Amino acid sequence: MEDLLFSFKDKLSKENLERLSKIKNRDVFLFIKKYVEILNPKTIYVSIGDDSDREYIKRRAIEEGEEEKLKINNHTIHFDGYYDQGRDKKNTKFVVSVDSDLDPSLNLILREEAEKELNILMKDMSEGREIYILFKTLGPKNSIFTLPCIQITDSPYVAHSENLLYRDGYDDFLKMKDGDEFFRFVHSEGELTENKTSKNIENRRVYIDVDNNIVYSLNTQYGGNSIGLKKLALRLAIKKASREGWLTEHMLIMGVNGLNGRVTYLTGAFPSLCGKTSTATLVGERIVGDDIALIKNVSGEVRAANFEKGMFGIIMGINSKDDPYIWEVLNSPYEVIFSNVLKLPDGSVYWIGKDGEVPERGYNHSGEWFKGKKDKDGKEIDPSHKNARFTFELKNLKNIDPNLENPDGVIVKGFIYGGRDSDTWVPVCEALNYQHGIIIKGASLESETTAATLGKEGVREFNPMANLDFLSVPIGRYIQMNLDFGKSLKKPPKIYGVNYFLKDKDGKFLNDKLDKKVWLKWIELRCNNDIGGIETPVGIIPKYDDLVKLFKEHLNKEYKKEDYIKQFMIRVPENLSKIDRIEKIYRENVKDTPEVVLIELENERKRLLSTKEKFGDYINPFDLY
Ligand code: SPV
Ligand code: MN
């Protein structure tokens, strides 16, 4: 490999050269050589993930001004630019060849055009700076889930985040042979402002080339755009899964505690900012993962493992009462990176919804901040961004499940799909069967937009399996993959639709934030055939008496009949409109819709119409007993 190293040997210290020289895979060298030559950094740091190099990267993030120390030991804060606070859907594109089968509704760019643009943008982009080369894996180590990855980045903040979020994989790369597959990520934050945020936001690019397992991310720092192994890797993994017959989902993995020490594992797909993290960290239950799940059929059973080992979670609304486990980590000297929250003069931080009063002033993603401050569009600036985040390792959470690193993953009994839906779905509902669930709960998922992506909030959007933003295969094929997966199992998981955001006519939420505990306990019992339910045209819903017991037992709350009726009333017109909207999308916008999608939608419509004939537009659940 000496020949390949030759051109950039002088950028490596003796130790870094040694680290790199131990790797025997030629593709790794070719990849590194190519991007070192294009980015032209001053020095190259080769990270193997040991304690000293984790310390080094943390120190570099502070020296470079991308992070600052906070009052609590091991806590730092990082800011992204004011206009770099979410995933940039507009400039995130799949790199394709002319004959690509991806849906034209996805954001695509022809390879030739992308390469031309990237060559210009990336030339000398890291000049005068250090780049970090990180060897990592997704999924537990030494397992059927393990996916080796290399990240090149010139941002020590990104490197630091990846050290918290992903497992070290240098040893996997030492074992690798020529031709072994690995994912590649190249990131440059580009020129920085004096606040150390990406300056050339107009040239922000995230280009994903699934055919070559490589993603480029430029002129951005926000984690969802820059941390390669997160949402960028998700796209590569979905494609790989489609080739190999397994699933990569935008899903949490959790264990719900049942009777006599039973633990029932569930996975759940929710769009960003729709309760995924708070579900995964529910008090008294167990977390395996909060964002992305690798799901495989192992001897006829569904097994899932967490892509990651850390959490890049939304901090808005985290408080000591509702989120005690996260709260504890955020207030202990575990390693935490806060991003885009308000920094106070004493080195503490504040975010929207934190315990205590809103401070009068501080420093945030907009610079010096004071109550009532407006941006240049006249919009009042919140003390922290709604999509502000924390990054830490899952192992520090009190409710971490012991199976996080289990190479066999966990056996999953239920899949949950949930969106932000103010007026259609009931709070919890079990699908009639696997196919009904995949199509009517998963593939029909809609959600009102949130601050997690740039753009307008509150607009209802189609988001199949909460995974639309990340689909690197045609939508129809992706649905078919999910359907086929179920058919390949001895016993497919049960499927649930949940909705934490149902409102009454006055726009008031019909449920408390913690009610989800009861829905999960009901799901746990259903998955083990320990509780009944009522069949409705949209699926099986809980019986009132069962919920009374569950609310009393788990939340010490009296559950009123009138609340049950309001929450579990079947809203026929809204459900019918939803079917119309979804059918239209699958008929008109999706090229390869499997026929059964249209059949399931039609069956659901028929069931709704015939029940409506008997009971009217708004069906009291007691009528269906
Ligand atoms: C999400 O938005 O779904 C996240 C954060 O988990 S991001 O990395 O931006 O995707
Ligand atoms: Mn996510």
Side-chain angles (χ1 to χ4, degrees):
M1 242 53 87
E2 281 295 300
D3 54 326
L4 294 177
L5 268 167
F6 189 72
S7 71
F8 59 94
K9 233 175 174 166
D10 57 328
K11 297 181 192 290
L12 289 153
S13 70
K14 189 163 162 281
E15 192 184 11
N16 283 312
L17 182 63
E18 254 169 44
R19 289 173 163 195
L20 208 52
S21 306
K22 285 194 185 137
I23 292 173
K24 301 298 171 217
N25 183 315
R26 204 169 169 85
D27 300 331
V28 171
F29 279 90
L30 286 170
F31 166 67
I32 294 174
K33 177 178 154 64
K34 178 168 176 185
Y35 292 98
V36 165
E37 284 173 6
I38 296 176
L39 295 169
N40 189 22
K42 186 164 154 214
T43 52
I44 302 169
Y45 187 80
V46 180
S47 165
I48 60 169
D50 67 9
D51 287 348
S52 75
D53 85 26
R54 298 174 86 89
E55 282 307 314
Y56 175 77
I57 286 171
K58 265 162 61 179
R59 179 158 58 84
R60 292 292 296 142
I62 290 165
E63 283 170 0
E64 291 289 304
E66 288 189 28
E67 290 177 36
E68 278 172 67
K69 284 189 179 175
L70 291 170
K71 189 162 81 180
I72 299 180
N73 217 1
N74 291 320
H75 287 199
T76 55
I77 184 166
H78 161 81
F79 292 109
D80 300 304
Y82 191 72
Y83 295 101
D84 194 21
Q85 295 284 326
R87 276 187 275 114
D88 180 0
K89 287 215 236 180
K90 189 168 139 256
N91 290 304
T92 299
K93 299 182 184 175
F94 287 105
V95 176
V96 294
S97 39
V98 198
D99 55 357
S100 161
D101 53 6
L102 283 182
D103 293 77
S105 58
L106 299 177
N107 212 350
L108 310 178
I109 181 166
L110 282 174
R111 181 161 290 108
E112 205 179 311
E113 196 186 324
E115 277 173 4
K116 216 163 92 193
E117 200 183 353
L118 290 171
N119 283 339
I120 296 170
L121 286 175
M122 286 170 85
K123 181 148 177 30
D124 299 330
M125 210 166 171
S126 306
E127 195 171 359
R129 308 179 52 193
E130 178 152 77
I131 59 165
Y132 306 86
I133 301 178
L134 284 78
F135 298 94
K136 294 282 177 190
T137 71
L138 293 165
K141 303 269 293 180
N142 304 315
S143 103
I144 52 161
F145 296 104
T146 313
L147 300 166
C149 302
I150 301 185
Q151 171 83 59
I152 296 179
T153 177
D154 58 15
S155 162
Y157 156 71
V158 168
H160 181 198
S161 301
E162 294 208 334
N163 279 340
L164 296 178
L165 294 170
Y166 304 102
R167 292 133 177 138
D168 296 310
Y170 182 65
D171 53 337
D172 297 80
F173 276 86
L174 293 182
K175 286 182 246 158
M176 219 181 242
K177 300 180 301 297
D178 281 351
D180 285 354
E181 189 176 14
F182 61 95
F183 292 167
R184 306 142 213 236
F185 307 95
V186 187
H187 167 252
S188 172
E189 55 195 4
E191 208 182 322
L192 299 179
T193 64
E194 56 187 32
N195 298 333
K196 305 294 173 189
T197 62
S198 291
K199 188 172 178 182
N200 302 315
I201 291 297
E202 72 288 354
N203 285 333
R204 183 168 48 200
R205 297 289 180 273
V206 179
Y207 285 176
I208 302 148
D209 184 345
V210 293
D211 298 325
N212 294 301
N213 278 335
I214 180 163
V215 186
Y216 312 89
S217 162
L218 307 177
N219 293 308
T220 177
Q221 288 169 312
Y222 171 67
N225 299 321
S226 64
I227 298 172
L229 276 74
K230 200 170 187 61
K231 293 310 200 305
L232 314 187
L234 173 56
R235 277 98 161 183
L236 301 184
I238 289 174
K239 181 73 181 199
K240 183 171 162 66
S242 85
R243 290 194 297 264
E244 299 175 359
W246 43 279
L247 301 174
T248 312
E249 297 299 312
H250 190 202
M251 280 178 156
L252 63 82
I253 308 171
M254 71 185 296
V256 179
N257 293 308
L259 298 169
N260 305 322
R262 174 174 74 198
V263 183
T264 302
Y265 290 94
L266 307 168
T267 61
F270 298 76
S272 318
L273 256 173
C274 291
K276 184 142 62 89
T277 300
S278 56
T279 305
T281 53
L282 259 183
V283 177
E285 315 303 344
R286 299 151 175 254
I287 182 171
V288 182
D290 79 309
D291 199 31
I292 303 173
L294 294 159
I295 302 180
K296 295 199 171 187
N297 170 345
V298 180
S299 314
E301 283 178 319
V302 186
R303 287 193 168 260
N306 190 352
F307 216 55
E308 314 176 277
K309 65 145 177 130
M311 203 158 161
F312 176 60
I314 291 172
I315 203 164
M316 179 170 73
I318 298 287
N319 63 66
S320 59
K321 180 175 148 279
D322 297 335
D323 313 278
Y325 301 145
I326 294 179
W327 180 263
E328 191 201 316
V329 178
L330 298 184
N331 286 282
S332 313
Y334 294 120
E335 209 172 322
V336 182
I337 309 173
F338 293 84
S339 46
N340 308 314
V341 298
L342 184 70
K343 183 180 176 227
L344 302 173
D346 69 349
S348 62
V349 292
Y350 181 82
W351 57 84
I352 307 170
K354 187 184 179 183
D355 300 29
E357 295 290 301
V358 183
E360 291 297 322
R361 50 184 63 247
Y363 190 92
N364 73 4
H365 59 293
S366 74
E368 291 296 336
W369 177 89
F370 46 88
K371 257 188 195 168
K373 181 177 179 185
K374 297 210 166 76
D375 69 9
K376 66 177 196 283
D377 306 317
K379 202 175 146 243
E380 189 160 331
I381 301 171
D382 291 321
S384 61
H385 194 273
K386 284 185 183 150
N387 195 30
R389 302 227 168 207
F390 57 83
T391 304
F392 61 57
E393 290 177 280
L394 284 164
K395 68 175 185 201
N396 297 327
L397 282 168
K398 204 180 242 159
N399 71 328
I400 184 67
D401 186 81
N403 291 302
L404 172 64
E405 299 300 343
N406 186 341
D408 298 324
V410 293
I411 296 176
V412 174
K413 289 198 176 166
F415 290 173
I416 302 172
Y417 297 98
R420 189 172 283 265
D421 164 10
S422 49
D423 63 5
T424 308
W425 276 9
V426 294
V428 62
C429 179
E430 182 182 299
L432 300 169
N433 52 52
Y434 183 83
Q435 178 172 298
H436 176 246
I438 289 293
I439 294 170
I440 301 294
K441 310 295 179 203
S444 304
L445 197 67
E446 292 178 301
S447 193
E448 291 147 25
T449 50
T450 66
T453 55
L454 305 172
K456 218 169 145 202
E457 288 175 47
V459 182
R460 180 150 36 203
E461 276 185 350
F462 169 67
N463 194 351
M465 280 77 170
N467 218 355
L468 183 69
D469 288 353
F470 315 110
L471 287 189
S472 49
V473 295
I475 298 172
R477 191 193 310 163
Y478 171 68
I479 310 291
Q480 191 62 54
M481 272 163 67
N482 271 269
L483 293 169
D484 292 346
F485 184 74
K487 285 191 201 125
S488 72
L489 299 164
K490 273 192 261 171
K491 191 167 158 248
K494 293 203 182 194
I495 301 204
Y496 299 86
V498 298
N499 179 14
Y500 304 154
F501 301 94
L502 194 61
K503 291 180 177 170
D504 65 14
K505 281 197 206 70
D506 308 323
K508 250 185 59 221
F509 285 115
L510 284 174
N511 289 103
D512 288 343
K513 198 171 163 185
L514 293 182
D515 289 359
K516 55 172 83 71
K517 173 96 179 175
V518 168
W519 316 145
L520 282 152
K521 291 295 191 188
W522 183 77
I523 290 174
E524 198 278 333
L525 292 166
R526 287 289 305 170
C527 282
N528 293 290
N529 302 315
D530 280 350
I531 200 167
I534 305 155
E535 194 164 325
T536 79
V538 295
I540 295 153
I541 62 170
K543 287 184 180 160
Y544 173 64
D545 290 349
D546 290 333
L547 289 183
V548 170
K549 276 193 223 129
L550 291 171
F551 267 98
K552 187 76 209 160
E553 186 183 339
H554 299 292
L555 298 176
N556 196 22
K557 225 165 110 172
E558 189 200 336
Y559 188 56
K560 296 202 207 81
K561 211 174 230 171
E562 68 216 55
D563 287 337
Y564 174 71
I565 294 173
K566 271 195 231 157
Q567 293 165 15
F568 286 90
M569 171 170 73
I570 307 296
R571 300 147 181 248
V572 176
E574 285 82 358
N575 274 284
L576 286 173
S577 314
K578 179 183 170 78
I579 293 174
D580 292 345
R581 287 193 298 274
I582 301 295
E583 187 186 358
K584 188 165 185 297
I585 293 171
Y586 279 107
R587 281 196 190 282
E588 294 174 14
N589 304 359
V590 176
K591 283 195 301 193
D592 57 344
T593 299
E595 193 57 31
V596 344
V597 170
L598 303 173
I599 296 172
E600 280 291 347
L601 286 166
E602 184 53 29
N603 289 344
E604 178 105 339
R605 177 185 284 126
K606 281 190 190 139
R607 279 192 301 271
L608 281 161
L609 287 171
S610 71
T611 320
K612 169 184 147 130
E613 254 173 50
K614 250 167 113 184
F615 301 107
D617 273 344
Y618 294 92
I619 305 169
N620 182 325
F622 286 108
D623 289 345
L624 303 174
Y625 267 55

